[in-house]
Amino acid sequence: MIAKPSEERLLIALQKKGRLADDSFALLKACGLRFAIRGGGLLARVKNMPVDLLLVRDDDIPSFVSNDAADIGIVGENVLVEEQLTGELDAQIAMRLGFSRCRLCLAAPERGTVQSADDLSSTRIATTYPGVTRRFLSERGIDAKLVEMKGAVELAPSIGVAESICDLVSSGATLEANGLAAFETILESEAVLIRSTRALPAAKADLLDKLLRRIEGVTTSSGSKYIMLNAPKAEVDAISALLPGSDAPTVMPLAGRDDMVAVQAVCTETVFWETLEDLKALGARAILVLPIEKLMS
Ligand code: PRT
Ligand code: ZN
């Protein structure tokens, strides 16, 4: 039913619907891929590049990449690591993408019998991540029983099937609503781009390289700003040192001013109001902070 990847068109497996989907689509669009996602289709064709999108459930993405049903995929690191630990998988991280961040945490009822990892021995832990949970328990030498669930793990303690849970947490609202408190993070996760260890045909390898460079450009530029200001010549070093995440700023003469210069720099870290105030205190004037749409170094 699912076509094997062709020799020329790069096939990217993406979550069709869910927490990863919109950011994955947005990232590819920011990389210049033009496509439309409609209705129940399994495949979406990219109009301006030899790329196709395979739209599936996130849990299937690592095995599709491993089994050549897709060339690359975007999935949560939590799913990748779980699949790596529970099956034979030829899939590895090609690039971290920085979105869909969450933590896989052990949590238990507030004021219950389990308050820390030290209390887990001989208790039951409910989870949809048996592989990662088991790894943690064996690293710590803890002998506990796993209760595998398909969902609604946060209900396990209240219905009496487990003393604690191991589940994904982002805001913490679900734990709180169920009277649970996290006491240990066993995995930090974000969306990752994955591929197998096998070589791709040359044309697709070039395409993947190009895509990775563009993703790098999009992810670096999204937090970056271009800063322009006029500075007293004597303070250029001090002012440059304040610019967050920039290495060599461009310093240029200002027409008709011997004592002042123009400074321009790419800042790869957040430029806070406090930084601008500190720059001003050093004599910087006409400070402009501009968003950067694309960045390629
Ligand atoms: O249908 P399909 O199988 O494709 O999707 P899914 O339902 O399995 O996954 P989905 O869309 O819920 O999540 C996809 C991925 O998003 C996950 O594998 C994680 O990598 C990432 N992600 C980020 C999260 C969360 N944050 C998250 N908060 N996945 C799930 N949750 C759940 C968590 O399980 C818990 O039920 O949200 C609840 C906790 O959220 P807070 O904000 O209340 O703490
Ligand atoms: Zn899923």
Side-chain angles (χ1 to χ4, degrees):
M1 197 218 0
I2 294 164
K4 280 227 158 223
S6 74
E7 285 289 301
E8 301 84 30
R9 296 184 71 83
L10 189 74
L11 187 56
I12 310 179
L14 299 173
Q15 188 190 33
K16 186 185 184 71
K17 216 170 140 228
R19 285 189 166 86
L20 289 161
D22 288 349
D23 285 343
S24 302
F25 300 147
L27 175 67
L28 295 181
K29 286 193 168 161
C31 288
L33 278 65
R34 285 176 36 221
F35 57 87
I37 305 290
R38 313 205 164 78
L42 185 69
L43 266 183
R45 184 161 272 246
V46 174
K47 298 180 189 109
N48 58 334
M49 281 169 93
V51 175
D52 290 322
L53 310 179
L54 182 64
L55 306 168
V56 292
R57 292 197 58 170
D58 67 342
D59 317 71
D60 290 330
I61 293 173
S63 72
F64 280 3
V65 168
S66 175
N67 293 305
D68 254 350
D71 295 308
I72 58 173
I74 294 180
V75 72
E77 197 174 350
N78 49 301
V79 171
L80 173 71
V81 175
E82 180 65 23
E83 299 283 316
Q84 282 172 333
L85 291 169
T86 50
E88 289 272 305
L89 199 72
D90 178 7
Q92 60 187 15
I93 297 176
M95 189 173 273
R96 298 181 169 278
L97 302 175
F99 61 85
S100 291
R101 286 183 188 278
C102 55
R103 300 172 288 134
L104 187 61
C105 290
L106 285 160
E110 290 156 5
R111 292 179 290 277
T113 50
V114 175
Q115 292 296 303
S116 78
D118 299 333
D119 306 325
L120 287 172
S121 286
S122 308
T123 64
R124 297 162 301 168
I125 308 168
T127 187
T128 48
Y129 291 89
V132 189
T133 311
R134 207 166 274 130
R135 179 177 71 177
F136 171 80
L137 294 175
S138 83
E139 279 169 5
R140 291 286 186 96
I142 299 168
D143 183 20
K145 183 171 182 293
L146 292 191
V147 178
E148 290 188 35
M149 293 178 68
K150 295 284 177 210
V153 171
E154 65 278 4
L155 299 179
S158 61
I159 57 175
V161 298
E163 285 69 43
S164 67
I165 67 167
C166 186
D167 199 13
L168 294 175
V169 179
S170 49
S171 68
T174 304
L175 290 185
E176 202 182 318
N178 288 279
L180 302 169
F183 57 83
E184 187 94 35
T185 295
I186 68 167
L187 184 80
E188 303 263 2
S189 176
E190 65 187 278
V192 290
L193 191 144
I194 60 169
R195 59 165 300 171
S196 76
T197 55
R198 299 180 301 278
L200 287 170
K204 288 208 279 193
D206 286 350
L207 201 54
L208 175 56
D209 263 358
K210 188 185 231 180
L211 183 63
L212 291 174
R213 296 294 77 76
R214 287 191 184 185
I215 293 176
E216 235 168 40
V218 171
T219 45
T220 338
S221 70
S222 70
S224 299
K225 295 283 180 279
Y226 196 74
I227 190 160
M228 300 165 78
L229 53 87
N230 295 340
K233 233 180 197 167
E235 297 295 349
V236 166
D237 287 346
I239 282 177
S240 303
L242 278 184
L243 299 174
S246 83
D247 25 58
T250 308
V251 180
M252 289 168 293
L254 262 182
R257 293 289 301 263
D258 285 343
D259 56 332
M260 296 285 284
V261 287
V263 177
Q264 301 184 1
V266 172
C267 294
T268 55
E269 291 161 25
T270 315
V271 181
F272 293 106
W273 281 107
E274 288 75 6
T275 310
L276 301 189
E277 285 153 8
D278 292 346
L279 289 167
K280 194 156 182 274
L282 283 172
R285 295 292 177 264
I287 309 171
L288 269 181
V289 181
L290 308 169
I292 295 175
E293 194 184 281
K294 296 185 176 67
L295 189 67
M296 191 170 277
S297 35

